[in-house]
Amino acid sequence: MTTISLAQGDITRFHADVIVNAANSSLLGGGGVDGAIHRRGGPAILAECRELRAGHYGKGLATGQAVATTAGELDARWVVHTVGPVWAADEDRSALLASCYAESLRVADGLGARTVAFPAISTGVYGWPMDDGARIAVETVRAAALTSVEDVTFVLFDDRAHGVFAARLGDDS
Ligand code: ADP
């Protein structure tokens, strides 16, 4: 049984076997969580991302998929990079956002990770409404069939996001 916890703060200061990165398809860095992970994690993460781009991921990482690299200097064993969908009012991309959580957990489980930390994927620059993002995150993690992962923590940057996730976790339990 996987437990779900909440924390508030900067995910790059969090300790977990896997820290999930809300990456973009280039895998070569960006703003928000992505920028913070590469800044604090150091150049080893970017070097491995470049190797991925030179190999199987020549066109980049598709939306909803996930791939692992070293965690560099972060207090973690791996970073799992996943690409969230950009919010669109006229198109339901929920399945892609759910896939980010499910695929990241599948990769983490395959690595033998016991603890996984997620940011609120797509809710920053990609514009997903926080409440719906929290609903999808919580539902998807609850539905995942995992063997090695014992604890999943959502690390929310601010008070509001933390409150929204807390309400979602409380609602559905
Ligand atoms: P996306 O492009 O998938 O929307 P962002 O990185 O822009 O990704 O934002 C995703 C969420 O992560 C937002 O809610 C944002 O406030 C939050 N966030 C930004 N930086 C950090 C950080 N260092 N730690 C945890 N959460 C963060």
Side-chain angles (χ1 to χ4, degrees), residues 58-148:
K59 291 180 180 164
L61 183 64
T63 305
Q65 298 297 299
V67 66
T69 66
T70 175
E73 291 157 35
L74 297 178
D75 190 11
R77 295 173 71 188
W78 302 278
V79 169
V80 169
H81 307 262
T82 189
V83 182
V86 176
W87 164 259
D90 58 348
E91 192 189 351
D92 183 7
R93 299 178 177 166
S94 303
L96 286 169
L97 184 54
S99 175
C100 287
Y101 289 98
E103 284 299 300
S104 296
L105 286 173
R106 196 178 59 78
V107 169
D109 210 41
L111 291 165
R114 286 161 52 168
T115 54
V116 178
F118 277 106
I121 299 165
S122 287
T123 64
V125 173
Y126 284 1
W128 208 284
M130 188 60 75
D131 185 54
D132 197 54
R135 176 186 65 80
I136 292 167
V138 169
E139 280 178 10
T140 308
V141 172
R142 282 201 171 131
L146 300 166
T147 52
S148 73

Side-chain angles (χ1 to χ4, degrees), residues 9-12 22-23 31-34 36-37 84-85 119-128 130 155-158 161:
D10 180 349
I11 198 169
T12 68
V33 176
D34 201 9
I37 281 177
I121 299 165
S122 287
T123 64
V125 173
Y126 284 1
W128 208 284
M130 188 60 75
V155 183
L156 292 322
F157 209 33
D158 57 33

Side-chain angles (χ1 to χ4, degrees), residues 37-50 70-73:
I37 281 177
H38 284 288
R39 263 195 310 278
R40 187 168 295 275
I45 301 174
L46 189 58
E48 229 180 289
C49 286
R50 288 214 170 94
T70 175
E73 291 157 35

Side-chain angles (χ1 to χ4, degrees), residues 138 142 166-173:
V138 169
R142 282 201 171 131
R168 273 292 165 195
L169 270 178
D171 273 2
D172 306 336
S173 56

